[in-house]
Amino acid sequence: MSTSKGNIGYTTVAVLKNLAINRWTGIILLLYGVFTSAVCFSDTFRERHIEIIDGNIVITLTNKYLPFFMMAAILIVISPLFAGDKKIRMDELGDTCRNGKEHWKKAKIFAALLYTVSGVTVGFIIPIMMSSISQTPIYFKSMVFESANPDIKLSTAQFYLFSFAMILIGMLFLALLTSLISSKTDESLIPFASVGLFFGIEAVLFSFRTPYYLWEINIFRLLKPYWFLFPSNPPFCPAHRAIIIVTTIFVVISCFVIWMLFGATVKREA
Amino acid sequence: MKLATHDLTKNFGDKCAVDHVNLTFERGVYGLLGPNGAGKTTLMKMMVDILPPSSGQVTLDGVPISELGARYRDILGYMPQEIGYYRNFTAKRFLNYLAVLKGIPSKNAAGKIDMLLNMVGLADVGRKKLGDFSGGMIRRIGIAQALLNDPKILVLDEPTAGLDPKERIRFRNILSELSADRIVILSTHIVSDIESIAEKVILLKSGKVIGFDTTENLLRSVEGKVWMAKVGHQELKQMKDQYVISNILQKADGLDVRIVSETKPCKQAVLTSPSLEDVFVYHFGKLEINNV
Amino acid sequence: MFKNEFYKIVAKKYIWIFVLVLAVFYVFILTDTKDNFGVVYSDALQPVFEEINEAAYTPEIREYIIKNGYDIKIDDIEHFLSPKIAATVDIYKGSTYHGYDVAKTLWEEGVKNRIVNLVKRNVTRENIINQLRADSDNPLNRYLLKQYSNMPKIEANLTRWDDWIDTNKTLLPGMIAFVIILSISGVYSNEYANKMHGILLTSKKGRKEVFWSKFAVSILFSVSCVIAFQLLNAGILTWMYGIPFTDTPLNSLSLFYKMPTTLTAQQMYIMQLAGSMVGAMVLTAVVLCISSFCRENILSFFISCLYFGCGFILSNTLEGGYLSSLITLPGEVSTFSLMSLVDVLGSGKVLVVSDTVVPTVLITIAVQLCIMVVAIALTYFFYTRKEISR
């Protein structure tokens, strides 16, 4: 690929390539692939270890397990994005290059976002593909969660798209948060542990359901989007209101994080 | 092309690392000489715009480098004292990545990288991971990356530290060739490197410039002040307290001592021609040298 | 050296920030229910604890409750109850709390439900014993029969021991593990990151001495961490509910009433404290081992989290019942399981190996001690045998 000087896309691709060739990307992808295969092809494994949601393997894999694999990938690959470079003093080299400083910083953020989008996309493609290969029927036109009396009715295909959008918003938020913390420190462990702790706290609040508003405004509402189809309490009902409120809150916070990332110029003191 | 610092100052808390430095650089090789903690690295970091000065500024042809931004970095090559690198990258991948950051089109980058790896003597290990490289090899990668964009201004912080004599000679030759049409600023503790390649030398002490001249003039400044004497162990002890000793050589018949002094230190002392090391000793004094 | 190594761990500012965040979150999540009716009036019926117990064992009440399928009104049995119960509830007559009639709620949910539950639990236990007697004679049945027959008398669930044991089930072990992993994961790998390993390993007091100092300091830190979090937990629970006014058999708590356990709640809590301490030590040894072969802190942290997280997930997804199997065993022998003990000890879990019934908790302890020994040996090997390449 040849391009003119200062093309942000070119630098973004270079950074993205580094993230993609990170061995942990491969390991997590492999683990997800193996897990998905086990769920799709082994009846015994499925029966013993997996609680299938709405009788649909793809919904189960994407709504229950994909967020954890993606989370692991984001934490270990994106945490060192800025902090790692500072730690090994790679930032000194990069920042004296023509496309260093803000250009490089933007490229890193775009790369982190693209990495997340690619990850979630692959995370959806793998179970759909495995499910098709294992000849587990996918009824795209049939309605999901009918027996649960959901507030909104969606076909399987519509629900896949809805899940994709929700999980993507949630993951992009986490990727941005990780990038922001990484840009403020030179210790990769700190963004990893901070976002991991945030994830853990959200998980506890989601499972305890108390206080209620923190169950509703919770990252797991986005990462496990099937919960949106179940009735909620006011003001989070009907379901479409909950979807609007929760996504708006996380999108607004994500925009704020982006503003902080682009706005704050971190200068390293010698 | 004129690179200049104007009252450049950097404070870290109460400590003044660089104190109102005014320098002008034009084509040629400049050697930055000073003891540890003199402010060499801080000065260089400010000159490559990765450390904001507390006051003063660096300009290129009258325009502050902070305003020039990417345009300045486009003609800049920098090799830091401690080179950051990705252990799991091969040398070629690493240089490729930096080529992207330097805005070098990929069609030009591959050839340039091969040429530079060849130049620094690492052509045969281009596909090896940097994690397996020795300290000297990493420094050579550092030199190669600094030259990737064919810079007009080259700032090198201790480029020869850790290189073996053969590599140091190779590096000096590279620099001599490069200096024809660009500004090269290098700092080093190895005085002989500066002696053989730098046209002008900047002496930095406690953040202040205490000398800025050609090597010839600096050498001239200590002419008649460098002495050689053969002494015994007892005599040396007394001499160390009174004079600045720049070298001691143990011989079968006693000690050959090189002394920097305004006056004749002892009866048997004879004048000798000065080296840049003697200049260093003369300016940076007894404390640093005699305690080593 | 000991002092310096300890300083290296505690001098990291971010660790204190994480500890503070966790502590605030823990206080928040625990005290969030402080205004609930059950918490505010948790001690209201304690003065009539004995009377409620007696009522559940009164044959007339018991028969009446069973006959009506456990669906009764308090008025139906009130004349059988001790007048002290009525007098205690009457203190709250006329007062309301968040729209609840306090006296009525105490009668219905406090007195009636507890008596009905107590009867139900006793009937369940008797049915289990009868079923076991009717079933074929095998080692498991013999063991279960012995356990259920020797169980202490089930009491009314009024002591609030549930909260003391439940907080130690997942939340507290999770938090303690997080702080330990965060603080300890860099103990050895940090030497690489800071390029200190060469100096340390070649120093006069290198290798063995450095190893033992780091190990001892890490254990000391982990133990302090457990004590601090347990004190915080005990402090909050005491503030909310007070110290449990009496000990009670474990089978009197909702979590355990069907389980073949003969322990008391107090014994279980003490075991949990000990488990938490030993588990933290095992975790420390494992994290140190991981740290000794990792060159980056983040990698050491990630692998350590995976180690603990796998046990946590396995243990929480496969819990329930009292019978261990090869499928449930990986979760049951995990470090998390040892730190929690609710599943393996509280549920009285057993594993049947040919004709022998082995309490799962013993296997957990044995496996964890083996892991600890192996981890220490491997750490020693990895750390002291490291070659200094540059």
Side-chain angles (χ1 to χ4, degrees):
Chain A
M1 189 178 14
S2 168
T3 184
S4 60
K5 284 182 176 185
N7 185 333
I8 190 93
Y10 190 43
T11 320
T12 304
V13 170
V15 180
L16 183 63
K17 231 194 252 176
N18 292 349
L19 298 182
I21 60 157
N22 185 308
R23 64 189 156 158
W24 285 101
T25 304
I27 292 171
I28 292 166
L29 194 64
L30 183 74
L31 287 175
Y32 184 64
V34 170
F35 180 72
T36 306
S37 312
V39 173
C40 290
F41 295 101
S42 164
D43 293 342
T44 326
F45 182 81
R46 197 165 55 231
E47 279 156 21
R48 276 187 183 164
H49 301 285
I50 307 292
E51 198 189 321
I52 301 288
I53 314 170
D54 202 39
N56 186 319
I57 289 178
V58 178
I59 292 179
T60 307
L61 283 165
T62 53
N63 279 241
K64 273 183 92 175
Y65 300 100
L66 172 64
F68 291 95
F69 284 94
M70 264 314 289
M71 186 64 200
I74 285 177
L75 284 182
I76 197 145
V77 177
I78 299 181
S79 288
L81 193 62
F82 293 97
D85 281 352
K86 274 185 255 174
K87 182 87 175 174
I88 60 169
R89 292 181 176 264
M90 182 62 199
D91 62 329
E92 285 188 359
L93 275 191
D95 285 345
T96 53
C97 294
R98 187 191 194 284
N99 296 337
K101 296 209 168 184
E102 289 307 302
H103 181 104
W104 193 26
K105 193 173 177 179
K106 277 180 197 166
K108 280 182 176 181
I109 297 163
F110 289 145
L113 295 178
L114 276 175
Y115 179 83
T116 310
V117 173
S118 319
V120 175
T121 310
V122 172
F124 268 79
I125 290 172
I126 291 176
I128 291 175
M129 219 171 66
M130 295 275 191
S131 188
S132 308
I133 296 168
S134 67
Q135 292 175 334
T136 316
I138 303 173
Y139 303 109
F140 283 109
K141 285 183 181 166
S142 65
M143 306 306 279
V144 290
F145 297 103
E146 275 189 304
S147 55
N149 189 24
D151 281 351
I152 44 173
K153 306 273 181 201
L154 292 174
S155 70
T156 306
Q158 284 171 328
F159 185 73
Y160 285 172
L161 285 174
F162 169 71
S163 296
F164 180 79
M166 291 297 112
I167 294 172
L168 188 59
I169 292 171
M171 283 301 164
L172 286 175
F173 168 77
L174 290 169
L176 283 167
L177 193 64
T178 312
S179 305
L180 177 69
I181 302 171
S182 180
S183 72
K184 305 280 179 198
T185 175
D186 64 357
E187 179 60 78
S188 307
L189 192 63
I190 293 175
F192 190 114
S194 307
V195 181
L197 181 64
F198 169 77
F199 197 72
I201 287 176
E202 287 285 83
V204 171
L205 291 169
F206 196 69
S207 67
F208 276 35
R209 285 190 171 236
T210 176
Y212 181 69
Y213 64 94
L214 286 182
W215 180 82
E216 286 285 2
I217 306 165
N218 192 299
I219 191 76
F220 280 92
R221 293 280 273 161
L222 293 173
L223 302 182
K224 294 176 171 225
Y226 69 95
W227 280 103
F228 276 124
L229 301 192
F230 292 90
S232 287
N233 296 341
F236 298 95
C237 60
H240 67 262
R241 190 186 284 173
I243 296 168
I244 292 169
I245 295 174
V246 176
T247 40
T248 306
I249 288 172
F250 279 99
V251 168
V252 167
I253 301 173
S254 300
C255 291
F256 180 68
V257 172
I258 291 174
W259 176 78
M260 283 180 77
L261 267 165
F262 285 126
T265 309
V266 183
K267 292 264 184 185
R268 185 187 173 80
E269 297 286 309
Chain B
M1 192 168 56
K2 198 158 87 178
L3 182 69
T5 66
H6 306 277
D7 275 331
L8 201 62
T9 305
K10 183 70 191 178
N11 299 312
F12 293 111
D14 294 339
K15 193 182 178 290
C16 184
V18 173
D19 193 359
H20 295 89
V21 168
N22 290 290
L23 293 166
T24 305
F25 304 92
E26 282 173 293
R27 191 199 55 78
V29 182
Y30 295 82
L32 200 50
L33 208 56
N36 288 331
K40 301 189 293 292
T41 299
T42 307
L43 176 62
M44 286 187 148
K45 280 185 178 176
M46 287 193 285
M47 291 180 72
V48 297
D49 199 22
I50 55 170
L51 184 67
S54 301
S55 65
Q57 60 181 7
V58 182
T59 59
L60 180 69
D61 293 331
V63 186
I65 57 166
S66 52
E67 279 174 31
L68 287 169
R71 275 181 292 155
Y72 176 65
R73 296 197 298 272
D74 200 20
I75 54 163
L76 177 72
Y78 173 58
M79 178 190 174
Q81 194 176 27
E82 201 179 324
I83 298 156
Y85 63 94
Y86 302 120
R87 296 179 59 86
N88 56 337
F89 273 36
T90 63
K92 278 197 174 178
R93 177 176 281 281
F94 181 69
L95 291 176
N96 244 316
Y97 183 57
L98 281 161
V100 173
L101 289 180
K102 284 173 187 272
I104 301 168
S106 55
K107 60 180 179 193
N108 303 346
K112 184 85 183 167
I113 289 166
D114 286 338
M115 189 271 280
L116 284 169
L117 283 175
N118 200 34
M119 186 196 259
V120 295
L122 294 174
D124 52 337
V125 288
R127 296 200 181 279
K128 273 200 172 177
K129 290 200 172 173
L130 295 179
D132 299 330
F133 277 29
S134 69
M137 287 160 95
I138 290 295
R139 294 215 76 77
R140 282 189 270 162
I141 286 292
I143 294 164
Q145 66 77 30
L147 298 172
L148 256 177
N149 55 332
D150 204 11
K152 296 285 168 223
I153 299 164
L154 196 52
V155 180
L156 308 162
D157 198 353
E158 309 227 10
T160 52
L163 294 186
D164 61 33
K166 194 182 94 188
E167 286 306 326
R168 270 171 53 203
I169 293 165
R170 189 208 290 258
F171 173 70
R172 281 185 209 159
N173 295 340
I174 294 170
L175 272 197
S176 299
E177 282 171 37
L178 288 172
S179 64
D181 57 347
R182 60 193 96 206
I183 299 169
V184 180
I185 305 164
L186 66 111
S187 80
T188 179
H189 281 110
I190 304 161
V191 181
S192 60
D193 280 348
I194 285 193
E195 201 163 17
S196 47
I197 45 176
E199 293 154 39
K200 281 194 167 180
V201 178
I202 302 148
L203 300 174
L204 206 62
K205 187 179 181 183
S206 305
K208 287 192 173 116
V209 175
I210 56 163
F212 181 24
D213 215 330
T214 60
T215 38
E216 292 79 18
N217 286 344
L218 286 171
L219 289 172
R220 214 165 288 142
S221 68
V222 290
E223 245 169 41
K225 293 167 186 163
V226 185
W227 309 83
M228 283 293 291
K230 196 167 279 298
V231 296
H233 284 279
Q234 273 304 318
E235 245 178 307
L236 176 68
K237 215 175 169 192
Q238 285 174 350
M239 215 170 251
K240 265 184 166 178
D241 293 335
Q242 290 172 31
Y243 302 102
V244 178
I245 311 287
S246 78
N247 195 39
I248 302 165
L249 183 65
Q250 180 91 46
K251 288 215 167 158
D253 54 341
L255 298 160
D256 277 352
V257 184
R258 195 175 174 96
I259 309 141
V260 182
S261 167
E262 302 278 350
T263 55
K264 194 174 181 177
C266 57
K267 267 198 302 191
Q268 66 273 36
V270 287
L271 273 173
T272 186
S273 53
S275 68
L276 205 55
E277 226 160 61
D278 299 315
V279 177
F280 187 91
V281 170
Y282 179 73
H283 286 284
F284 300 119
K286 191 172 160 183
L287 193 72
E288 289 90 347
I289 303 300
N290 285 6
N291 286 346
V292 172
Chain C
M1 187 167 273
F2 195 81
K3 219 165 124 186
N4 287 335
E5 292 297 342
F6 194 74
Y7 178 76
K8 273 195 223 169
I9 296 176
V10 297
K12 288 175 193 151
K13 220 188 288 173
Y14 66 83
I15 288 176
W16 295 106
I17 296 171
F18 277 105
V19 169
L20 190 70
V21 169
L22 272 174
V24 169
F25 166 70
Y26 193 62
V27 172
F28 170 75
I29 197 93
L30 244 61
T31 55
D32 186 58
T33 55
K34 189 158 186 348
D35 290 341
N36 287 5
F37 183 91
V39 178
V40 173
Y41 292 95
S42 65
D43 55 354
L45 294 173
Q46 281 173 13
V48 286
F49 175 68
E50 290 302 333
E51 286 73 11
I52 291 173
N53 280 334
E54 268 171 35
Y57 288 95
T58 305
E60 291 86 349
I61 295 178
R62 185 185 143 95
E63 270 167 39
Y64 183 80
I65 291 171
I66 296 169
K67 201 171 75 188
N68 285 282
Y70 307 102
D71 186 18
I72 58 151
K73 290 195 171 74
I74 188 68
D75 302 338
D76 302 339
I77 56 164
E78 198 179 346
H79 56 282
F80 289 118
L81 301 177
S82 157
K84 199 180 163 190
I85 297 178
T88 306
V89 175
D90 280 350
I91 296 170
Y92 301 95
K93 219 166 195 176
S95 57
T96 54
Y97 184 78
H98 289 323
Y100 289 100
D101 179 334
V102 178
K104 196 178 162 207
T105 312
L106 284 176
W107 265 122
E108 286 294 326
E109 289 179 17
V111 180
K112 188 200 84 179
N113 283 356
R114 282 198 170 86
I115 294 171
V116 170
N117 279 340
L118 203 42
V119 172
K120 204 190 241 174
R121 287 175 188 188
N122 271 310
V123 170
T124 308
R125 197 182 95 176
E126 284 156 18
N127 288 343
I128 292 172
I129 292 172
N130 291 337
Q131 184 65 46
L132 287 167
R133 282 190 180 133
D135 282 351
S136 58
D137 182 48
N138 61 47
L140 178 63
N141 277 5
R142 273 199 298 278
Y143 169 80
L144 291 174
L145 198 56
K146 194 182 108 197
Q147 290 293 99
Y148 282 112
S149 307
N150 294 339
M151 261 183 193
K153 198 173 158 186
I154 306 175
E155 293 176 351
N157 190 7
L158 268 168
T159 55
R160 307 289 329 186
W161 272 110
D162 306 65
D163 302 279
W164 290 72
I165 290 167
D166 203 33
T167 46
N168 266 292
K169 189 184 170 206
T170 45
L171 210 50
L172 216 48
M175 290 197 325
I176 291 169
F178 181 83
V179 175
I180 290 176
I181 294 173
L182 183 70
S183 318
I184 306 295
S185 60
V187 164
Y188 292 111
S189 56
N190 216 19
E191 305 297 4
Y192 268 95
N194 293 335
K195 294 176 180 156
M196 274 295 289
H197 61 291
I199 297 168
L200 280 178
L201 290 180
T202 51
S203 64
K204 190 186 169 195
K205 288 191 171 181
R207 293 177 188 261
K208 289 174 192 173
E209 207 155 324
V210 174
F211 167 80
W212 286 114
S213 312
K214 283 182 184 291
F215 180 75
V217 157
S218 303
I219 292 285
L220 179 71
F221 179 84
S222 303
V223 169
S224 318
C225 188
V226 171
I227 292 170
F229 273 103
Q230 289 292 358
L231 281 175
L232 176 75
N233 183 46
I236 301 169
L237 292 176
T238 306
W239 176 62
M240 282 178 73
Y241 312 116
I243 293 170
F245 67 99
T246 181
D247 192 11
T248 192
L250 200 56
N251 58 17
S252 308
L253 310 182
S254 308
L255 265 174
F256 308 101
Y257 81 95
K258 277 185 183 170
M259 300 302 169
T261 174
T262 53
L263 289 173
T264 69
Q266 200 176 59
Q267 285 170 334
M268 177 67 194
Y269 180 65
I270 292 167
M271 297 281 197
Q272 278 186 314
L273 293 183
S276 176
M277 198 72 88
V278 178
M281 288 184 195
V282 177
L283 182 65
T284 304
V286 173
V287 175
L288 282 175
C289 178
I290 294 166
S291 177
S292 71
F293 65 77
C294 285
R295 287 182 176 223
E296 291 165 45
N297 295 348
I298 188 172
L299 195 60
S300 168
F301 180 77
F302 180 62
I303 299 174
S304 304
C305 283
L306 272 184
Y307 166 78
F308 187 80
C310 284
F312 184 92
I313 292 166
L314 283 174
S315 183
N316 279 297
T317 48
L318 299 170
E319 66 179 354
Y322 48 74
L323 203 57
S324 294
S325 67
L326 285 178
I327 296 167
T328 61
L329 215 50
E332 287 157 0
V333 300
S334 65
T335 306
F336 165 76
S337 225
L338 179 62
M339 288 174 83
S340 160
L341 285 182
V342 168
D343 189 36
V344 284
L345 181 66
S347 302
K349 272 195 168 172
V350 287
L351 179 73
V352 182
V353 187
S354 59
D355 273 352
T356 319
V357 177
V358 186
T360 310
V361 68
L362 294 182
I363 304 173
T364 307
I365 293 168
V367 169
Q368 286 301 306
L369 290 179
C370 285
I371 289 176
M372 190 173 178
V373 171
V374 171
I376 295 169
L378 284 177
T379 314
Y380 186 82
F381 175 79
F382 279 122
Y383 191 61
T384 57
R385 295 289 172 136
K386 259 177 188 170
E387 280 182 29
I388 304 149
S389 53
R390 69 185 68 102

